Amino acid sequence: MIRIILFMLTNLSVMFIFGIILSMTGIKSHSIYELIIISGLFGFSGSIISLLLSKWIALRSVNGKIIKVPSNENEIWLTNIIYLQAKKMNISTPEVAIYHALDMNAFATGSNRNSSLIAISTGLLNNMTRDEIEAVIAHEISHIANGDMVTMTLIQGVVNTFVIFISRILSQIINTLLSDNKNENEHQHYNSTTYFFITMIFELIFGIFANIITMWFSRKREFYADSGSAKLVGKTKMIAALERLQQSCEPQELSNLSTFCIHGKSQSIMNLFMSHPSLNNRIYALYKNIYM
């Protein structure tokens, strides 16, 4: 979940800054085609920058330490498992990092399948059996092999483009209606200021709906990663890992950080904004061979 949340936060921040710059330039829809091109450039820029910076941001956010040379038996076993699984999936061996956290968690990130990182929390390493850890690693390896981060970038770029485009179209329509009653001296200043604020409001509103779409896709990819893990190390191990997460205590972090946890809450309308389906649903899908 961490890889998705960090990706989304960075992407939204970049998109918001670009949105402000675009509004301040006064660029509006003199041409629909021109606006589509501009929206696409700014829409995809945010997601691409997020992707390129994903490893750097993720490592620093969790204060992770990359294992360059294994220093103990556990690190040797961990790096060997990741090497063997990566070889089976025909991808380059990801970098391996460990970070200190009480909760059981792991994530994969990187700009492409041959330049990736898998980070694992000490809470997971200390509380799971080796079979369960192996299944969690296989889940993350599946994310990398499936190219989920690149796919997320493309989807985010498309929804960003839509948000920027439709926000500016609607903003110009409303701005024109509101400024019709202004005299000529007031018109120019009112037009630019109002357009800017209306655009920001629409981008915020449509950005929320765009996140719902992106999170829906993210939940689907989790099922496929579970399935990939089951094929790689066996369904029994993956189910055991998910059941271990069910038995663990709820995260103790603040509410804005608890969404990072792989066993985060999923209730009511907030389901729409969850990057992961519930553990019950994931276990059920494995038992029933759904997505296999």
Side-chain angles (χ1 to χ4, degrees):
M1 182 177 287
I2 292 179
R3 63 188 173 79
I4 301 295
I5 298 296
L6 292 176
F7 176 83
M8 292 292 297
L9 290 177
T10 306
N11 177 72
L12 289 174
S13 298
V14 173
M15 180 184 165
F16 181 73
I17 293 172
F18 281 166
I20 292 177
I21 295 173
L22 188 58
S23 294
M24 292 178 67
T25 63
I27 297 176
K28 301 182 179 65
S29 55
H30 301 298
S31 164
I32 293 296
Y33 297 109
E34 174 186 309
L35 183 58
I36 291 174
I37 293 172
I38 292 173
S39 299
L41 289 174
F42 279 93
F44 277 92
S45 293
S47 55
I48 291 173
I49 290 174
S50 298
L51 178 67
L52 295 176
L53 295 178
S54 60
K55 273 204 302 189
W56 183 84
I57 294 171
L59 272 179
R60 279 150 186 78
S61 296
V62 299
N63 197 25
K65 180 182 178 182
I66 293 178
I67 302 175
K68 294 182 179 179
V69 178
S71 60
N72 54 56
E73 193 273 335
N74 283 333
E75 290 185 0
I76 292 173
W77 175 82
L78 185 63
T79 54
N80 187 54
I81 285 296
I82 291 176
Y83 167 77
L84 292 175
Q85 291 189 6
K87 187 175 181 180
K88 285 183 181 179
M89 298 298 287
N90 197 29
I91 62 173
S92 297
T93 304
E95 291 183 282
V96 187
I98 295 176
Y99 64 97
H100 293 285
L102 294 176
D103 58 301
M104 293 184 281
N105 212 341
F107 64 88
T109 191
S111 58
N112 62 74
R113 52 186 283 157
N114 291 317
S115 178
S116 57
L117 167 78
I118 292 179
I120 303 169
S121 73
T122 52
L124 186 144
L125 293 173
N126 294 333
N127 292 285
M128 281 191 171
T129 67
R130 285 195 169 183
D131 280 350
E132 292 163 353
I133 295 172
E134 188 179 349
V136 171
I137 292 172
H139 173 95
E140 302 304 337
I141 287 286
S142 294
H143 274 307
I144 296 170
N146 293 338
D148 285 346
M149 286 304 292
V150 174
T151 308
M152 282 289 295
T153 299
L154 295 175
I155 291 176
Q156 191 66 58
V158 170
V159 297
N160 285 353
T161 299
F162 170 80
V163 168
I164 294 172
F165 177 77
I166 197 67
S167 294
R168 277 157 179 72
I169 289 293
L170 294 178
S171 295
Q172 183 168 347
I173 293 172
I174 294 176
N175 189 48
T176 300
L177 294 174
L178 292 176
S179 60
D180 279 346
N181 295 327
K182 302 292 178 180
N183 60 46
E184 188 173 343
N185 293 329
E186 296 175 310
H187 185 274
Q188 185 173 0
H189 174 73
Y190 182 87
N191 188 55
S192 299
T193 304
T194 307
Y195 178 81
F196 172 79
F197 284 108
I198 293 175
T199 300
M200 289 299 101
I201 291 172
F202 273 128
E203 284 198 354
L204 177 62
I205 295 172
F206 288 118
I208 292 173
F209 288 106
N211 279 344
I212 292 175
I213 296 172
T214 308
M215 290 300 98
W216 173 84
F217 177 81
S218 174
R219 291 193 296 273
K220 289 293 183 184
R221 299 315 303 171
E222 289 306 312
F223 285 119
Y224 287 112
D226 287 344
S227 174
S229 175
K231 293 174 182 176
L232 197 56
V233 301
K235 184 166 67 173
T236 301
K237 290 183 181 180
M238 189 61 215
I239 290 175
L242 294 175
E243 288 176 340
R244 177 75 65 179
L245 291 175
Q246 276 189 319
Q247 297 167 6
S248 64
C249 61
E250 290 290 339
Q252 299 301 310
E253 291 85 357
L254 298 174
S255 58
N256 62 320
L257 295 178
S258 65
T259 54
F260 289 179
C261 302
I262 197 170
H263 55 292
K265 297 178 180 178
S266 178
Q267 299 176 353
S268 186
I269 192 173
M270 291 307 294
N271 289 347
L272 296 174
F273 299 96
M274 297 299 293
S275 63
H276 285 51
S278 70
L279 291 171
N280 281 335
N281 287 343
R282 292 168 67 180
I283 292 171
Y284 176 82
L286 286 172
Y287 271 122
K288 296 297 182 180
N289 294 321
I290 303 173
Y291 302 101
M292 297 292 281

